[in-house]
Amino acid sequence: MEILMAILASILFATAIYNLLQKQFLRIIIGTVLLSHAAHLFLLTMGKLKRGNPPVLVEGVTNYADPLPQALILTSIVISFGVTSFLLVLAYRTYTLNKSDNMDELRGSSDE
């Protein structure tokens, strides 16, 4: 199961890098979203999600679940949501001002 999730994370990383290298601004945003999802899956895979009781000290319980991977993934989800919303607003503003989402056209010329 872990090897399958690692392979899926690597496929997500590859497609994210492919989209990040495109010229359209929307594809770059999709690449950042895929990159964040791949990072979430990678953290989940490497954290080895354990099943057990909640990490509260109680008599007689020896098998506790590790809350650290879940906390890291939750923090990563919140940060990636903020970055994605910022990039979508930036893309909308760029398209309304320049009527293009092509990075070559947005770059300008050396005369400016």
Side-chain angles (χ1 to χ4, degrees):
M1 183 68 175
E2 292 173 358
I3 211 72
L4 185 63
M5 287 177 38
I7 291 171
L8 181 61
S10 64
I11 290 171
L12 281 174
F13 274 121
T15 55
I17 296 300
Y18 175 77
N19 279 324
L20 282 172
L21 296 175
Q22 297 298 315
K23 293 182 180 181
Q24 291 84 16
F25 202 27
L26 193 58
R27 285 194 183 205
I28 294 171
I29 295 171
I30 291 171
T32 58
V33 169
L34 287 176
L35 190 66
S36 67
H37 287 322
H40 301 157
L41 189 59
F42 182 71
L43 283 173
L44 181 68
T45 304
M46 294 299 117
K48 294 183 181 176
L49 188 63
K50 299 178 190 173
R51 298 195 187 274
N53 292 329
V56 179
L57 295 177
V58 180
E59 286 290 324
V61 179
T62 58
N63 190 15
Y64 291 110
D66 187 15
L68 186 62
Q70 297 170 12
L72 286 174
I73 292 169
L74 183 61
T75 305
S76 178
I77 288 170
V78 170
I79 292 171
S80 65
F81 177 72
V83 169
T84 303
S85 61
F86 171 73
L87 287 176
L88 285 172
V89 168
L90 184 66
Y92 175 73
R93 180 75 174 155
T94 303
Y95 186 77
T96 56
L97 288 178
N98 300 319
K99 302 294 186 227
S100 175
D101 70 337
N102 192 341
M103 294 306 283
D104 285 339
E105 293 174 10
L106 295 175
R107 186 164 300 151
S109 62
S110 59
D111 300 353
E112 300 174 337

